[in-house]
Amino acid sequence: MPNLFAEGQATTDIGIGVGLKYLGAGVAAIGVLGAGIGQGIVGQGACLAIGRNPEMASKITSTMIIAAGIAESGAIYALVIAVLLAFVVN
């Protein structure tokens, strides 16, 4: 840890850009939280529907998997943006 109050010593400055880069990566990763909530709601709806109408379980399950895949694509995009901001952008 550098002593910021010492006179005559060079301080290490990482710059405000690095901090903002990691802040942006954290904000972009919030999209993963939304996708998780969306998939939970989809799973809940499918379980309720199968409980009410068990003979439609195969059709409900296939529709649920498609909806979960669509919800997951947003999380993958958010994760890619977060990784790009954290490790690639200078």
Side-chain angles (χ1 to χ4, degrees):
M1 182 96 186
N3 186 357
L4 299 177
F5 300 108
E7 293 182 24
Q9 293 181 352
T11 60
T12 58
D13 184 21
I14 61 170
I16 195 165
V18 174
L20 290 176
K21 177 174 76 167
Y22 291 125
L23 180 67
V27 169
I30 291 175
V32 176
L33 176 68
I37 292 171
Q39 285 182 352
I41 292 170
V42 166
Q44 176 193 11
C47 287
L48 290 173
I50 290 171
R52 289 184 184 141
N53 198 357
E55 59 271 3
M56 294 295 292
S58 63
K59 187 169 177 81
I60 293 169
T61 302
S62 62
T63 305
M64 180 199 69
I65 291 172
I66 292 170
I70 291 170
E72 186 67 27
S73 67
I76 292 170
Y77 294 143
L79 180 66
V80 167
I81 296 298
V83 168
L84 285 175
L85 283 174
F87 296 113
V88 177
V89 175
N90 289 327

